[in-house]
mmCIF file of all heavy atoms in Angstrom:
data_model
loop_
_atom_site.group_PDB
_atom_site.id
_atom_site.type_symbol
_atom_site.label_atom_id
_atom_site.label_comp_id
_atom_site.label_asym_id
_atom_site.label_seq_id
_atom_site.Cartn_x
_atom_site.Cartn_y
_atom_site.Cartn_z
ATOM 1 N N ARG A 394 93.977 106.494 93.579
ATOM 2 C CA ARG A 394 93.688 107.569 92.637
ATOM 3 C C ARG A 394 94.983 108.082 92.031
ATOM 4 O O ARG A 394 96.076 107.712 92.474
ATOM 5 C CB ARG A 394 92.998 108.739 93.361
ATOM 6 C CG ARG A 394 91.609 108.452 93.865
ATOM 7 C CD ARG A 394 90.626 108.302 92.725
ATOM 8 N NE ARG A 394 89.265 108.108 93.196
ATOM 9 C CZ ARG A 394 88.703 106.926 93.451
ATOM 10 N NH1 ARG A 394 89.401 105.825 93.319
ATOM 11 N NH2 ARG A 394 87.454 106.844 93.846
ATOM 12 N N ALA A 395 94.827 108.978 91.042
ATOM 13 C CA ALA A 395 96.012 109.626 90.475
ATOM 14 C C ALA A 395 96.608 110.575 91.520
ATOM 15 O O ALA A 395 95.923 111.005 92.441
ATOM 16 C CB ALA A 395 95.609 110.402 89.231
ATOM 17 N N LEU A 396 97.886 110.875 91.378
ATOM 18 C CA LEU A 396 98.528 111.847 92.272
ATOM 19 C C LEU A 396 97.999 113.236 91.920
ATOM 20 O O LEU A 396 98.363 113.786 90.886
ATOM 21 C CB LEU A 396 100.048 111.804 92.096
ATOM 22 C CG LEU A 396 100.774 110.600 92.692
ATOM 23 C CD1 LEU A 396 102.192 110.541 92.165
ATOM 24 C CD2 LEU A 396 100.789 110.669 94.201
ATOM 25 N N VAL A 397 97.136 113.769 92.764
ATOM 26 C CA VAL A 397 96.518 115.058 92.475
ATOM 27 C C VAL A 397 97.076 116.157 93.362
ATOM 28 O O VAL A 397 97.534 117.185 92.887
ATOM 29 C CB VAL A 397 94.987 114.970 92.630
ATOM 30 C CG1 VAL A 397 94.372 116.348 92.650
ATOM 31 C CG2 VAL A 397 94.385 114.148 91.499
ATOM 32 N N MET A 398 97.064 115.920 94.666
ATOM 33 C CA MET A 398 97.499 116.971 95.600
ATOM 34 C C MET A 398 99.010 117.164 95.496
ATOM 35 O O MET A 398 99.761 116.229 95.250
ATOM 36 C CB MET A 398 97.114 116.595 97.026
ATOM 37 C CG MET A 398 95.625 116.553 97.262
ATOM 38 S SD MET A 398 94.833 118.117 96.910
ATOM 39 C CE MET A 398 95.376 119.077 98.326
ATOM 40 N N THR A 399 99.441 118.397 95.717
ATOM 41 C CA THR A 399 100.880 118.665 95.732
ATOM 42 C C THR A 399 101.228 119.396 97.029
ATOM 43 O O THR A 399 100.360 119.911 97.714
ATOM 44 C CB THR A 399 101.304 119.546 94.553
ATOM 45 O OG1 THR A 399 100.634 120.803 94.676
ATOM 46 C CG2 THR A 399 100.970 118.912 93.228
ATOM 47 N N GLY A 400 102.508 119.408 97.348
ATOM 48 C CA GLY A 400 102.952 120.167 98.510
ATOM 49 C C GLY A 400 102.692 119.469 99.836
ATOM 50 O O GLY A 400 102.995 120.005 100.887
ATOM 51 N N GLN A 401 102.110 118.263 99.810
ATOM 52 C CA GLN A 401 101.829 117.549 101.063
ATOM 53 C C GLN A 401 103.062 116.781 101.534
ATOM 54 O O GLN A 401 103.437 116.863 102.700
ATOM 55 C CB GLN A 401 100.667 116.562 100.860
ATOM 56 C CG GLN A 401 99.439 117.152 100.224
ATOM 57 C CD GLN A 401 98.715 118.103 101.148
ATOM 58 O OE1 GLN A 401 98.527 117.818 102.324
ATOM 59 N NE2 GLN A 401 98.342 119.256 100.634
ATOM 60 N N PHE A 402 103.662 116.037 100.622
ATOM 61 C CA PHE A 402 104.820 115.211 100.999
ATOM 62 C C PHE A 402 105.918 116.075 101.620
ATOM 63 O O PHE A 402 106.582 115.658 102.574
ATOM 64 C CB PHE A 402 105.396 114.498 99.774
ATOM 65 C CG PHE A 402 104.455 113.526 99.122
ATOM 66 C CD1 PHE A 402 104.681 113.093 97.830
ATOM 67 C CD2 PHE A 402 103.344 113.047 99.798
ATOM 68 C CE1 PHE A 402 103.821 112.192 97.222
ATOM 69 C CE2 PHE A 402 102.471 112.153 99.200
ATOM 70 C CZ PHE A 402 102.712 111.735 97.902
ATOM 71 N N GLU A 403 106.118 117.258 101.062
ATOM 72 C CA GLU A 403 107.199 118.126 101.518
ATOM 73 C C GLU A 403 107.101 118.436 103.014
ATOM 74 O O GLU A 403 108.095 118.743 103.647
ATOM 75 C CB GLU A 403 107.196 119.429 100.719
ATOM 76 C CG GLU A 403 107.770 119.313 99.308
ATOM 77 C CD GLU A 403 106.770 118.799 98.279
ATOM 78 O OE1 GLU A 403 105.700 118.317 98.688
ATOM 79 O OE2 GLU A 403 107.076 118.871 97.077
ATOM 80 N N LYS A 404 105.890 118.344 103.561
ATOM 81 C CA LYS A 404 105.715 118.691 104.967
ATOM 82 C C LYS A 404 106.243 117.616 105.910
ATOM 83 O O LYS A 404 106.419 117.863 107.102
ATOM 84 C CB LYS A 404 104.228 118.913 105.271
ATOM 85 C CG LYS A 404 103.653 120.126 104.576
ATOM 86 C CD LYS A 404 102.159 120.236 104.884
ATOM 87 C CE LYS A 404 101.521 121.299 103.991
ATOM 88 N NZ LYS A 404 100.061 121.239 104.064
ATOM 89 N N VAL A 405 106.432 116.398 105.416
ATOM 90 C CA VAL A 405 106.894 115.311 106.290
ATOM 91 C C VAL A 405 108.184 114.684 105.765
ATOM 92 O O VAL A 405 108.550 113.586 106.159
ATOM 93 C CB VAL A 405 105.813 114.207 106.447
ATOM 94 C CG1 VAL A 405 104.613 114.738 107.196
ATOM 95 C CG2 VAL A 405 105.403 113.648 105.107
ATOM 96 N N PHE A 406 108.859 115.375 104.877
ATOM 97 C CA PHE A 406 109.999 114.783 104.185
ATOM 98 C C PHE A 406 111.206 115.706 104.341
ATOM 99 O O PHE A 406 111.416 116.614 103.546
ATOM 100 C CB PHE A 406 109.626 114.619 102.700
ATOM 101 C CG PHE A 406 110.602 113.801 101.902
ATOM 102 C CD1 PHE A 406 110.681 112.434 102.070
ATOM 103 C CD2 PHE A 406 111.439 114.401 100.973
ATOM 104 C CE1 PHE A 406 111.570 111.672 101.324
ATOM 105 C CE2 PHE A 406 112.330 113.655 100.224
ATOM 106 C CZ PHE A 406 112.390 112.287 100.407
ATOM 107 N N PRO A 407 112.020 115.491 105.378
ATOM 108 C CA PRO A 407 113.044 116.478 105.710
ATOM 109 C C PRO A 407 114.331 116.364 104.897
ATOM 110 O O PRO A 407 115.408 116.598 105.432
ATOM 111 C CB PRO A 407 113.302 116.210 107.201
ATOM 112 C CG PRO A 407 113.013 114.781 107.370
ATOM 113 C CD PRO A 407 111.964 114.414 106.357
ATOM 114 N N PHE A 408 114.240 116.000 103.643
ATOM 115 C CA PHE A 408 115.422 115.960 102.789
ATOM 116 C C PHE A 408 115.389 117.157 101.845
ATOM 117 O O PHE A 408 114.326 117.685 101.546
ATOM 118 C CB PHE A 408 115.422 114.695 101.924
ATOM 119 C CG PHE A 408 115.605 113.423 102.681
ATOM 120 C CD1 PHE A 408 114.544 112.822 103.327
ATOM 121 C CD2 PHE A 408 116.843 112.821 102.742
ATOM 122 C CE1 PHE A 408 114.711 111.639 104.032
ATOM 123 C CE2 PHE A 408 117.015 111.634 103.433
ATOM 124 C CZ PHE A 408 115.951 111.042 104.086
ATOM 125 N N ASP A 409 116.559 117.528 101.349
ATOM 126 C CA ASP A 409 116.600 118.553 100.316
ATOM 127 C C ASP A 409 116.407 117.871 98.964
ATOM 128 O O ASP A 409 117.265 117.901 98.089
ATOM 129 C CB ASP A 409 117.939 119.293 100.379
ATOM 130 C CG ASP A 409 117.937 120.498 99.451
ATOM 131 O OD1 ASP A 409 116.843 120.893 99.033
ATOM 132 O OD2 ASP A 409 119.022 121.018 99.153
ATOM 133 N N ILE A 410 115.265 117.209 98.831
ATOM 134 C CA ILE A 410 114.954 116.391 97.663
ATOM 135 C C ILE A 410 113.487 116.660 97.334
ATOM 136 O O ILE A 410 112.684 116.857 98.246
ATOM 137 C CB ILE A 410 115.154 114.890 97.982
ATOM 138 C CG1 ILE A 410 116.639 114.554 98.056
ATOM 139 C CG2 ILE A 410 114.447 113.994 96.983
ATOM 140 C CD1 ILE A 410 116.930 113.150 98.529
ATOM 141 N N TYR A 411 113.145 116.672 96.032
ATOM 142 C CA TYR A 411 111.741 116.851 95.662
ATOM 143 C C TYR A 411 111.068 115.490 95.567
ATOM 144 O O TYR A 411 111.261 114.763 94.590
ATOM 145 C CB TYR A 411 111.638 117.605 94.338
ATOM 146 C CG TYR A 411 111.921 119.074 94.506
ATOM 147 C CD1 TYR A 411 113.158 119.613 94.196
ATOM 148 C CD2 TYR A 411 110.937 119.905 95.029
ATOM 149 C CE1 TYR A 411 113.417 120.966 94.393
ATOM 150 C CE2 TYR A 411 111.182 121.251 95.222
ATOM 151 C CZ TYR A 411 112.424 121.778 94.894
ATOM 152 O OH TYR A 411 112.657 123.099 95.095
ATOM 153 N N PRO A 412 110.263 115.130 96.579
ATOM 154 C CA PRO A 412 109.752 113.762 96.653
ATOM 155 C C PRO A 412 108.843 113.382 95.483
ATOM 156 O O PRO A 412 108.993 112.291 94.918
ATOM 157 C CB PRO A 412 108.994 113.729 97.982
ATOM 158 C CG PRO A 412 108.765 115.140 98.357
ATOM 159 C CD PRO A 412 109.833 115.955 97.713
ATOM 160 N N THR A 413 107.905 114.263 95.133
ATOM 161 C CA THR A 413 106.972 113.922 94.058
ATOM 162 C C THR A 413 107.712 113.712 92.745
ATOM 163 O O THR A 413 107.448 112.762 92.004
ATOM 164 C CB THR A 413 105.931 115.042 93.882
ATOM 165 O OG1 THR A 413 105.492 115.452 95.169
ATOM 166 C CG2 THR A 413 104.763 114.579 93.057
ATOM 167 N N GLN A 414 108.657 114.607 92.472
ATOM 168 C CA GLN A 414 109.397 114.526 91.213
ATOM 169 C C GLN A 414 110.232 113.249 91.166
ATOM 170 O O GLN A 414 110.319 112.590 90.134
ATOM 171 C CB GLN A 414 110.280 115.758 91.042
ATOM 172 C CG GLN A 414 109.533 117.015 90.576
ATOM 173 C CD GLN A 414 108.597 117.595 91.624
ATOM 174 O OE1 GLN A 414 108.748 117.335 92.814
ATOM 175 N NE2 GLN A 414 107.622 118.366 91.195
ATOM 176 N N LEU A 415 110.838 112.905 92.307
ATOM 177 C CA LEU A 415 111.625 111.674 92.350
ATOM 178 C C LEU A 415 110.734 110.456 92.119
ATOM 179 O O LEU A 415 111.084 109.545 91.349
ATOM 180 C CB LEU A 415 112.359 111.563 93.693
ATOM 181 C CG LEU A 415 113.182 110.298 93.916
ATOM 182 C CD1 LEU A 415 114.195 110.084 92.808
ATOM 183 C CD2 LEU A 415 113.902 110.339 95.259
ATOM 184 N N LEU A 416 109.567 110.449 92.757
ATOM 185 C CA LEU A 416 108.640 109.321 92.573
ATOM 186 C C LEU A 416 108.233 109.182 91.112
ATOM 187 O O LEU A 416 108.188 108.079 90.568
ATOM 188 C CB LEU A 416 107.382 109.518 93.422
ATOM 189 C CG LEU A 416 107.513 109.209 94.902
ATOM 190 C CD1 LEU A 416 106.236 109.557 95.626
ATOM 191 C CD2 LEU A 416 107.844 107.742 95.104
ATOM 192 N N LYS A 417 107.953 110.313 90.476
ATOM 193 C CA LYS A 417 107.524 110.244 89.076
ATOM 194 C C LYS A 417 108.667 109.775 88.190
ATOM 195 O O LYS A 417 108.438 109.049 87.220
ATOM 196 C CB LYS A 417 106.981 111.606 88.626
ATOM 197 C CG LYS A 417 105.630 111.880 89.269
ATOM 198 C CD LYS A 417 104.925 113.101 88.711
ATOM 199 C CE LYS A 417 103.506 113.176 89.280
ATOM 200 N NZ LYS A 417 102.863 114.463 89.009
ATOM 201 N N ALA A 418 109.889 110.172 88.531
ATOM 202 C CA ALA A 418 111.049 109.705 87.764
ATOM 203 C C ALA A 418 111.185 108.187 87.896
ATOM 204 O O ALA A 418 111.506 107.483 86.938
ATOM 205 C CB ALA A 418 112.314 110.396 88.244
ATOM 206 N N ILE A 419 110.919 107.676 89.105
ATOM 207 C CA ILE A 419 110.997 106.222 89.309
ATOM 208 C C ILE A 419 109.917 105.522 88.495
ATOM 209 O O ILE A 419 110.171 104.533 87.808
ATOM 210 C CB ILE A 419 110.843 105.868 90.804
ATOM 211 C CG1 ILE A 419 112.011 106.430 91.619
ATOM 212 C CG2 ILE A 419 110.763 104.356 90.982
ATOM 213 C CD1 ILE A 419 111.843 106.279 93.121
ATOM 214 N N MET A 420 108.702 106.068 88.547
ATOM 215 C CA MET A 420 107.603 105.441 87.801
ATOM 216 C C MET A 420 107.919 105.415 86.313
ATOM 217 O O MET A 420 107.532 104.492 85.604
ATOM 218 C CB MET A 420 106.308 106.203 88.052
ATOM 219 C CG MET A 420 105.761 106.018 89.449
ATOM 220 S SD MET A 420 104.088 106.699 89.534
ATOM 221 C CE MET A 420 104.106 107.582 91.041
ATOM 222 N N ALA A 421 108.597 106.460 85.828
ATOM 223 C CA ALA A 421 108.948 106.512 84.409
ATOM 224 C C ALA A 421 110.232 105.740 84.116
ATOM 225 O O ALA A 421 110.666 105.680 82.979
ATOM 226 C CB ALA A 421 109.099 107.967 83.983
ATOM 227 N N GLU A 422 110.837 105.166 85.157
ATOM 228 C CA GLU A 422 112.108 104.425 85.040
ATOM 229 C C GLU A 422 113.174 105.258 84.339
ATOM 230 O O GLU A 422 113.934 104.760 83.513
ATOM 231 C CB GLU A 422 111.880 103.090 84.317
ATOM 232 C CG GLU A 422 110.856 102.228 85.037
ATOM 233 C CD GLU A 422 110.848 100.783 84.560
ATOM 234 O OE1 GLU A 422 111.510 100.483 83.554
ATOM 235 O OE2 GLU A 422 110.195 99.956 85.228
ATOM 236 N N ASP A 423 113.225 106.533 84.665
ATOM 237 C CA ASP A 423 114.193 107.457 84.081
ATOM 238 C C ASP A 423 115.454 107.468 84.969
ATOM 239 O O ASP A 423 115.521 108.190 85.966
ATOM 240 C CB ASP A 423 113.563 108.850 83.996
ATOM 241 C CG ASP A 423 114.448 109.846 83.274
ATOM 242 O OD1 ASP A 423 115.684 109.622 83.236
ATOM 243 O OD2 ASP A 423 113.919 110.833 82.746
#
Side-chain angles (χ1 to χ4, degrees):
Chain A
R394 292 290 184 270
L396 286 167
V397 167
M398 294 301 287
T399 62
Q401 309 290 316
F402 297 162
E403 283 83 348
K404 293 177 190 168
V405 293
F406 190 72
F408 292 81
D409 188 16
I410 286 173
Y411 284 100
T413 316
Q414 282 70 21
L415 178 55
L416 282 175
K417 288 189 172 168
I419 295 173
M420 289 191 224
E422 302 194 351
D423 186 336

